[in-house]
Structures are given as C-alpha cells and as structure tokens.
Amino acid sequence: QVQLVQSGADVKQPGASVKVSCKASGYTFTSYDIHWVRQATGQGLEWLGWMNPYSDDSGYAQTLQGRLTFSRNTSTNTAYLELNRLTSDDTAVYYCARFDVTHSGRGLDPWGQGTLVIVSS
Amino acid sequence: EIVLTQSPGTLSLSPGERATLFCRASQSVSSSRLAWYQQKPGQAPRLLFYGASRRATGIPDRFRVIGSGTDFSLTINRLEPEDLAVYYCQHFGDSPYSFGQGTKLEIK
C-alpha cells in the first residue's frame, strides 16, 4: 500500500539545523509532489511548502523562506526537509504528505506519521 | 493570499445527531481545490475529501461536502463516538496552500 514513513523524533539546540526524512513506498515516487506541513502542540496545521521529486522543483511558504530546504533522493525514494537556524517557535510535529490530483479534486493523501522536533537548550 | 476561516471553533453534539462545519475563503476557490481532513487525537491528519465532492478511500457516506466560491461545508450525519476529531479545510488555489484553523468536534 501507499505509505510514507518519517524519521524519528529529534531534539536540537537553538541555532542548529534539523533534517527530517520521509520514505515513500507503494507508488512511483517521482510521479507525485510531496508537501510538508507542521503542527505545534495544541495548534492547527501550517503548510510549509511542496517539492516535485522528478524535477527537484520546490515552493516554500513565505514565513520560513530562507531557512527551509526540501530535497530528495530518487534512489531511495526519500524526501527531506531541512530547517536551519532553529528557534523554540520551530518546536512542532512535522508531516510529509503526498499530493494527489484526481479529475475531481486535489488533496494530501496519505500522510506520514509525523516527526516531533523539539528545539530546546 | 487566501485565508480560510472555519466555524464554529468547537462543536459538541451527541451520537446520532448531525454536525455541520463551515469553511469560508477570503476569495473565491474552485471547489475542486478545496480539501477536507480529519485529525483524531494523537494521529496524523487523514484526507476526507478531494475537492468538494470526491470522498477519499474508506470514508463512509455519512460524510458529505457542498459548496462553491467562498463558502463550503462538511456535514457528518448520524454521529458516532469515533468522529471525535479536529476537522480542517485546505485550499489549493494560489500558493500558499493554507489550512483553516480547524473545528473541534466533541461527542457528548
């Protein structure tokens, strides 16, 4: 079945960088964009951006542009999110999700299980 | 930038009742570019609807959506205890593809 499996939780100090992985299986990795979303504890969903695994093209939410980079490894069907210059405001669960486009609509399906990133000194 | 506003913030209903959740966009969104998600406690979000009409795999027909332009709604008929969740709408109009702030559905 189509599945996205993310890397485990991580704790980082302020100012450091974090890299979250998202391994895809059950479909052709390069045929679907991957989107990234984060959720601070008790808060709503924040869309971070998207990446096309075929072309390596990406789009980023303005709020994190400059600190956020998406990448991929097509040999291992893995997408990556890297966030630099971390602050406590970046503490959140980070999700990857496949962007599915059908003749009747669009949506993110499925989602990875989420990766908790804690930024703390 | 398109802003989605969901209402109510919290809805508390009993099993068997009907829930209606609203999502209003700050500018017109094609109905095919408005998705709905369910997030149960401690879980990742799950897609309910692609666009304004197509149910995702495994979503029962108790869940229905309607809407166009700037006003959309999700209706859940015959509520069950398992429907306890936060429900989000998201648009895929012009980037950024933001989410609404969510509606928390409580089951009494």
Side-chain angles (χ1 to χ4, degrees):
Chain A
Q1 76 281 22
V2 176
Q3 197 173 7
L4 299 174
V5 177
Q6 298 184 224
S7 48
D10 209 344
V11 180
K12 296 292 185 182
Q13 293 203 330
S17 299
V18 68
K19 194 168 187 176
V20 177
S21 68
C22 170
K23 184 172 176 60
S25 61
Y27 72 98
T28 302
F29 177 61
T30 51
S31 295
Y32 296 82
D33 290 357
I34 292 287
H35 286 225
W36 291 90
V37 176
R38 74 178 178 180
Q39 184 173 37
T41 302
Q43 302 301 308
L45 302 173
E46 179 185 6
W47 183 80
L48 301 181
W50 60 271
M51 184 203 62
N52 182 306
Y54 178 78
S55 66
D56 201 22
D57 196 15
S58 299
Y60 299 93
Q62 200 84 17
T63 51
L64 293 182
Q65 199 150 15
R67 294 200 296 131
L68 188 58
T69 304
F70 302 138
S71 60
R72 91 290 194 230
N73 183 330
T74 56
S75 299
T76 61
N77 293 341
T78 304
Y80 298 94
L81 171 155
E82 185 168 18
L83 185 59
N84 301 320
R85 302 192 301 278
L86 291 167
T87 73
S88 57
D89 289 342
D90 297 316
T91 295
V93 176
Y94 289 74
Y95 294 102
C96 61
R98 189 183 75 162
F99 180 51
D100 200 1
V101 179
T102 72
H103 68 277
S104 54
R106 303 168 182 222
L108 299 180
D109 180 53
W111 293 57
Q113 83 277 19
T115 296
L116 175 61
V117 174
I118 297 172
V119 182
S120 174
S121 54
Chain B
E1 182 173 328
I2 298 173
V3 175
L4 299 179
T5 303
Q6 292 187 242
S7 62
T10 302
L11 196 52
S12 184
L13 294 168
S14 299
E17 291 190 305
R18 174 187 298 153
T20 301
L21 291 64
F22 299 94
C23 176
R24 172 163 285 177
S26 59
Q27 55 188 275
S28 185
V29 175
S30 167
S31 60
S32 68
R33 294 175 180 246
L34 196 290
W36 288 89
Y37 303 90
Q38 175 193 62
Q39 186 177 33
K40 295 184 177 181
Q43 296 184 17
R46 175 175 74 151
L47 180 68
L48 291 176
F49 284 89
Y50 295 87
S53 59
R54 175 175 167 161
R55 276 186 208 85
T57 303
I59 304 303
D61 62 6
R62 299 188 295 109
F63 291 79
R64 304 205 167 186
V65 292
I66 61 170
S68 64
T70 60
D71 293 298
F72 301 87
S73 65
L74 167 69
T75 297
I76 310 171
N77 293 307
R78 302 182 302 282
L79 282 171
E80 298 181 1
E82 67 188 37
D83 298 330
L84 165 73
V86 179
Y87 293 83
Y88 295 95
C89 55
Q90 180 191 22
H91 78 86
F92 292 99
D94 293 330
S95 180
Y97 304 139
S98 56
F99 294 87
Q101 81 277 24
T103 291
K104 182 177 183 179
L105 177 60
E106 298 176 341
I107 309 297
K108 295 177 185 174

